[in-house]
Amino acid sequence: MKAQDTLLYLDGVSVSFDGFRAINNLSLVLQAGEMRAIIGPNGAGKTTMMDIITGKTKPDAGDVYFNGEVDLTRHDEAEIALLGIGRKFQKPTVFESHTVEDNLVLALSGPRSAFSALFHKQSANEAERIEDILYTIRLNGKRDWLAANLSHGQKQWLEIGMLLAQDPKLLLVDEPVAGMTDAETAETAKLLREIAKTRSVLVVEHDMHFVRELDVKVTCLHEGSVLAEGSLDFVSNDQRVIEVYLGR
Amino acid sequence: MITQWFFTHVDRRGGIAIALLVAIAFLVPLSNLLLPETSPLHIPTYLVSLIGKYLTYALLAVALDLVWGFCGILSLGHGAFFALGGYAMGMYLMRQIGPRGVYADPVLPDFMVFLNWKELPWFWHGFDNFWFAALMVVLVPGALAFGFGWLAFRSRVTGVYLSIITQALTYALLLAFFRNDMGFGGNNGLTDFKDILGFNIQAGTTRSMLFAATALFLALAVFVSSFIIRSKLGKVLVGVRDAESRMRFLGYRVDRYKLFVWTISAMMAGIAGALYVPQVGIINPSEFEPANSIEAVIWVAVGGRGTIIGPIIGAVLVNFGKTYFTAAFPEIWLFALGALFIIVTLFLPKGILGLYGSWRTKLADRAARKKDSAPPPVAAENVHLPEPQAAE
């Protein structure tokens, strides 16, 4: 497959830390508009893969292309974010001493320079977008709350809302339902499916019920490379996947 | 129109602080100059200069809090920017002495004649003009901060490592300024000033005007800080303080934001130093002492970091305590200062203003419970303390 027809293209990517190969000859392709679930045991390299895509970690070898043409290994986190890749961390990371609304204001796509921020005035369009997102993430009643006072699940949603505000082409979502109640998990799956209608999403998740609810193509990572790829049923019937991951 | 513009950028508390500072900028000089010495409201000149000195410290504290309280950059070397501003002002004051020095050289300050220097070093040129010196007061600390910050923030030096190099910076400058060949008067520094802008620096009127200028600059600093903190840029800074990498993944160039606020802060500190020197009458390398910078951190911590006026309260209270204790019980002052820092760190993590805020919250809570209504959905603390809370 060629890089230019894809949204995200990883080919032969490797990276090691102190001799430990976190990612080993990993190849992964994501089409525009696709949602993909990544599963795999701890230490399989899921988070490191996200670090590479978002520019936090530079690979030792291999190609990482976004939108078919942009070499992501040449850009830093801020530039990659502006290219249109948003990231949700494993641990919900919101700005706790800001209100829910201010969290979204900061995330909202737009100029990012210090001077434009110093003299920034909210436009009607921006206010409307924030209103929409507050509604989407079911936090419109809590806009004036400090993010610190939200429940764990609400913080996860706020972070997803911040990603939406960034208006990315590709969303990287790291364990979005960790620590959520069953009801919140179901809501989150619904939310992500809604989001995936308009953009590409890459979800890392351990919760197999959740992955089943997403109902998308699944990639199983193991020791830094792809072990199996296909529908959830296909992957979960793979003997090696059962051995290293599901069987335990 | 103007008041409306003002209040979109300053909260109620900042507005009160600015009004009070402007008021004392007028009232204290009036009391000193117009009231007879027998009047109970008369403020003697020594006290005017003493409070003026406290206010320059308060200005330094406001500058420090802007980077530490709101952006999480703990500088243990802000005294360096203060001292550089002070030296720039001191150089102007030295040039004003002219032929009235001990050696009566029309151009060279006394210490240069003493060192047998034949002509003025190149970097002393221009300092006979007030405007040039005033420009250097902000440009020199600003340029140093910019260069330092550009290197440090781009390489993502943060936390305790950054604090240590700021400390090293001020210590390096301390050693450099001690050397006679640096051309800044070595160990003795710059002193024996006579005039500022043609007015006798010892005169009561001049002292009162210096006091007024200090209070007004402090009011301006409160306004500038409020403006920055209440803008979107201020929200970005607080975001950097609380979750720096999140900010980066949102597409913000964190290093540039830090560099901006760091440079502004250094310029404010430079202005504070420039106002300090004519009021105390001397600047020497001891102003670069790392201990001074650490003391400034204590002022901010005591008053309440991450608040705009907390640092002012902290700086004035701690220095008032210092003046009192060093006179009354000179041997225990350092212990008192150390104990104060421990107490504040352990029991008042948000400083005096934080204590006041939680007291207000408690009262509001009790009132709400009395009314038997549900507790307010908004974080009660946020209502009374609009400034973002410092990270624990």
Side-chain angles (χ1 to χ4, degrees):
Chain A
M1 188 174 294
K2 281 193 191 136
Q4 50 260 43
D5 313 321
T6 63
L7 184 74
L8 183 68
Y9 178 89
L10 281 80
D11 187 31
V13 177
S14 296
V15 68
S16 12
F17 304 112
D18 300 326
F20 169 69
R21 286 216 137 182
I23 297 284
N24 187 10
N25 197 20
L26 172 73
S27 300
L28 183 97
V29 171
L30 195 70
Q31 303 295 343
E34 186 184 348
M35 171 145 74
R36 176 79 59 89
I38 309 275
I39 58 172
N42 287 329
K46 302 180 300 269
T47 302
T48 309
M49 181 188 75
M50 292 210 172
D51 285 347
I52 290 173
I53 298 169
T54 51
K56 193 178 175 202
T57 302
K58 299 280 168 229
D60 301 331
D63 295 326
V64 185
Y65 283 95
F66 179 61
N67 237 352
E69 58 200 358
V70 187
D71 184 352
L72 291 180
T73 60
R74 293 167 182 275
H75 296 276
D76 68 10
E77 296 102 311
E79 286 165 351
I80 289 174
L82 293 181
L83 284 171
I85 299 183
R87 175 173 189 180
K88 205 201 99 29
F89 291 89
Q90 196 166 338
K91 185 171 163 263
T93 314
V94 295
F95 304 115
E96 306 229 328
S97 40
H98 282 317
T99 61
V100 168
E101 185 174 355
D102 279 347
N103 268 278
L104 295 175
V105 167
L106 286 174
L108 211 58
S109 59
R112 289 290 197 248
S113 82
F115 281 96
S116 67
L118 186 57
F119 300 107
H120 174 263
K121 269 208 177 94
Q122 194 171 76
S123 69
N125 178 30
E126 285 175 330
E128 199 178 314
R129 279 179 60 200
I130 286 173
E131 207 62 49
D132 282 350
I133 294 165
L134 280 170
Y135 187 78
T136 311
I137 58 172
R138 297 137 173 94
L139 287 176
N140 40 341
K142 299 190 165 66
R143 60 189 310 153
D144 293 329
W145 281 39
L146 284 189
N149 298 342
L150 295 177
S151 76
H152 179 81
Q154 287 167 336
K155 279 183 195 169
Q156 299 274 31
W157 287 344
L158 176 56
E159 202 179 0
I160 292 172
M162 288 163 74
L163 287 184
L164 291 177
Q166 257 182 288
D167 197 18
K169 296 191 186 80
L170 171 63
L171 250 90
L172 306 178
V173 188
D174 203 348
E175 301 202 16
V177 297
M180 277 192 180
T181 63
D182 287 348
E184 284 173 331
T185 303
E187 277 292 284
T188 307
K190 216 165 98 191
L191 187 60
L192 280 180
R193 277 202 307 268
E194 224 169 276
I195 291 166
K197 283 179 193 155
T198 49
R199 49 199 103 217
S200 307
V201 183
L202 199 66
V203 193
V204 166
E205 190 47 74
H206 274 299
D207 185 331
M208 294 311 276
H209 292 288
F210 177 71
V211 174
R212 187 164 294 282
E213 267 181 72
L214 289 179
D215 188 25
V216 293
K217 190 169 167 186
V218 174
T219 300
C220 179
L221 294 189
H222 179 55
E223 289 178 350
S225 43
V226 175
L227 191 64
E229 196 167 86
S231 72
L232 181 60
D233 290 327
F234 175 81
V235 169
S236 51
N237 285 325
D238 187 300
Q239 204 50 50
R240 289 170 305 165
V241 173
I242 294 171
E243 215 166 277
V244 304
Y245 183 48
L246 299 174
R248 283 189 292 173
Chain B
M1 195 47 202
I2 289 173
T3 49
Q4 196 191 346
W5 177 81
F6 180 81
F7 279 106
T8 52
H9 295 297
V10 177
D11 64 359
R12 195 173 58 91
R13 207 182 261 178
I16 292 172
I18 289 172
L20 276 177
L21 286 167
V22 172
I24 65 165
F26 287 98
L27 294 179
V28 169
L30 283 180
S31 139
N32 173 251
L33 298 174
L34 296 184
L35 293 178
E37 276 179 33
T38 50
S39 159
L41 290 175
H42 173 81
I43 300 173
T45 304
Y46 87 89
L47 200 57
V48 171
S49 284
L50 189 66
I51 304 173
K53 188 175 87 171
Y54 292 168
L55 293 187
T56 63
Y57 287 150
L59 183 50
L60 172 61
V62 169
L64 179 61
D65 189 41
L66 196 56
V67 289
W68 182 36
F70 292 102
C71 195
I73 307 169
L74 173 55
S75 168
L76 294 179
H78 248 51
F81 305 124
F82 181 85
L84 286 173
Y87 265 97
M89 179 55 87
M91 287 162 81
Y92 163 75
L93 296 171
M94 286 307 265
R95 297 290 308 267
Q96 295 307 297
I97 298 172
R100 287 170 293 175
V102 176
Y103 297 104
D105 190 297
V107 178
L108 293 188
D110 276 348
F111 75 88
M112 292 187 192
V113 181
F114 184 75
L115 291 171
N116 262 327
W117 290 15
K118 295 296 167 231
E119 57 184 39
L120 210 57
W122 62 268
F123 48 84
W124 274 77
H125 287 281
F127 277 96
D128 46 336
N129 298 309
F130 183 79
W131 67 266
F132 182 82
L135 205 60
M136 289 303 132
V137 160
V138 288
L139 281 190
V140 172
L144 177 69
F146 188 88
F148 177 91
W150 196 78
L151 294 170
F153 300 142
R154 269 176 64 95
S155 335
R156 301 199 182 166
V157 180
T158 53
V160 67
Y161 301 99
L162 188 92
S163 302
I164 291 169
I165 40 177
T166 56
Q167 181 99 98
L169 172 80
T170 194
Y171 191 63
L173 285 166
L174 167 78
L175 296 181
F177 274 71
F178 260 126
R179 298 173 57 235
N180 279 332
D181 5 341
M182 273 289 279
F184 296 105
N187 196 7
N188 298 318
L190 311 175
T191 187
D192 286 333
F193 308 134
K194 308 278 189 233
D195 293 342
I196 179 165
L197 288 167
F199 299 102
N200 178 1
I201 206 161
Q202 306 291 346
T205 41
T206 316
R207 301 241 147 200
S208 283
M209 288 308 116
L210 285 168
F211 175 89
T214 309
L216 291 176
F217 267 107
L218 184 55
L220 181 68
V222 170
F223 178 75
V224 169
S225 295
S226 300
F227 186 96
I228 292 175
I229 293 315
R230 289 169 70 86
S231 73
K232 188 176 166 192
L233 183 138
K235 289 175 184 159
V236 174
L237 294 179
V238 171
V240 169
R241 180 192 74 191
D242 293 348
E244 181 168 339
S245 63
R246 186 92 203 83
M247 218 70 230
R248 233 180 243 131
F249 286 118
L250 284 179
Y252 290 93
R253 306 301 305 248
V254 168
D255 50 333
R256 294 187 191 165
Y257 280 80
K258 284 184 174 177
L259 191 55
F260 171 82
V261 73
W262 175 253
T263 307
I264 295 276
S265 168
M267 289 174 164
M268 276 189 196
I271 294 174
L275 291 162
Y276 169 84
V277 168
Q279 298 190 75
V280 299
I282 183 167
I283 174 84
N284 63 30
S286 69
E287 295 299 334
F288 286 106
E289 290 270 11
N292 285 12
S293 299
I294 293 171
E295 235 176 86
V297 169
I298 297 178
W299 307 334
V300 177
V302 168
R305 83 190 139 119
T307 65
I308 302 225
I309 62 167
I312 301 177
I313 296 172
V316 171
L317 279 185
V318 174
N319 280 294
F320 180 78
K322 184 180 185 174
T323 305
Y324 176 75
F325 278 108
T326 46
F329 318 97
E331 61 285 342
I332 68 156
W333 161 244
L334 277 180
F335 293 103
L337 187 69
L340 184 66
F341 194 50
I342 292 170
I343 290 168
V344 166
T345 314
L346 286 182
F347 302 110
L348 299 174
K350 287 165 190 166
I352 292 170
L353 272 194
L355 187 71
Y356 173 74
S358 57
W359 175 70
R360 289 273 302 257
T361 312
K362 222 175 269 171
L363 281 193
D365 228 34
R366 204 171 294 164
R369 223 168 287 156
K370 236 176 223 166
K371 268 194 232 154
D372 211 15
S373 58
V378 180
E381 208 159 8
N382 194 37
V383 176
H384 306 298
L385 256 184
E387 295 90 353
Q389 304 298 301
E392 303 290 306

